Amino acid sequence: DRFIRASRRTKVLDVLTRAGISIELCGKGWETSPFAKHHRVHSAVPYDKVMGEMLGQSQIVLNVLPNYVEGSHERLLTGMLTGALGLTDANVFSQKHFVQGEDILSFDWNHLEELPHMLMDVMDKPLKLEEIAMAGQEKVCQEHTWKQRMELILKHFKLEL
């Protein structure tokens, strides 16, 4: 799992760095990474600060899934819930629950070179960025909160809250 995540993140950072796009990196170890000189690094940020304060100040949350074919990650959905545009690698879950370009942006690993263009395009169109972000926020509020997940689990096991 760690190898896959590290490999995928490295590929994404490499393509963004080569395109001259700088992003904010959060987490232990980034300060010694070769990418540190090209991106803004926040090392060892407490989880609650990232999930609350930092995501709440973000315009876009770039999510790289480890290998979740039919699932998502709390980071993406929480970022969208706070009003950031969700940008993630496409998978069965994102394609089933969201609409590309309407409430989420997804990139394809087979065409990773398109990611910088997708990112620059939406950054150059602030109204479009806000429109997608707000639609994503609404979708997450309606369908993807922890409360809704708990209700789904309880329903599956025929239990009540």
Side-chain angles (χ1 to χ4, degrees):
D1 178 58
R2 286 181 188 245
F3 175 78
I4 292 169
R5 282 189 289 159
S7 174
R8 288 182 171 200
R9 287 178 180 159
T10 299
K11 288 177 184 178
V12 166
L13 287 171
D14 185 53
V15 76
L16 293 177
T17 302
R18 283 188 280 117
I21 298 173
S22 178
I23 64 172
E24 300 206 23
L25 302 171
C26 298
K28 185 178 176 185
W30 287 117
E31 62 277 358
T32 59
S33 161
F35 296 109
K37 62 183 174 186
H38 302 287
H39 303 279
R40 294 174 299 282
V41 175
H42 306 272
S43 61
V45 178
Y47 180 79
D48 58 337
K49 182 176 181 181
V50 171
M51 296 307 275
E53 182 182 325
M54 294 185 83
L55 288 180
Q57 296 173 359
S58 300
Q59 288 185 304
I60 299 172
V61 172
L62 173 59
N63 184 62
V64 178
L65 295 167
N67 214 7
Y68 301 163
V69 178
E70 294 191 32
S72 187
H73 193 283
E74 165 182 21
R75 170 183 46 250
L76 174 67
L77 297 175
T78 300
M80 293 171 72
L81 193 59
T82 67
L85 183 146
L87 174 58
T88 190
D89 40 337
N91 69 359
V92 173
F93 179 86
S94 66
Q95 293 171 341
K96 179 179 177 183
H97 295 278
F98 296 95
V99 179
Q100 170 70 357
E102 289 184 23
D103 51 22
I104 199 167
L105 288 180
S106 300
F107 61 90
D108 184 336
W109 284 107
N110 294 319
H111 302 284
L112 190 58
E113 71 282 355
E114 295 174 7
L115 176 60
H117 305 293
M118 182 187 304
L119 192 52
M120 288 187 289
D121 184 56
V122 76
M123 291 298 292
D124 287 341
K125 298 174 184 166
L127 292 177
K128 182 69 174 170
L129 187 154
E130 185 177 353
E131 182 182 296
I132 296 170
M134 298 313 287
Q137 182 181 43
E138 185 175 328
K139 176 80 63 90
V140 173
C141 282
Q142 291 174 357
E143 301 176 18
H144 302 288
T145 64
W146 281 112
K147 182 179 186 284
Q148 291 152 335
R149 286 294 177 268
M150 181 53 80
E151 289 169 353
L152 184 66
I153 292 167
L154 292 173
K155 182 180 175 183
H156 178 77
F157 290 106
K158 297 176 178 46
L159 301 170
E160 291 184 31
L161 191 57

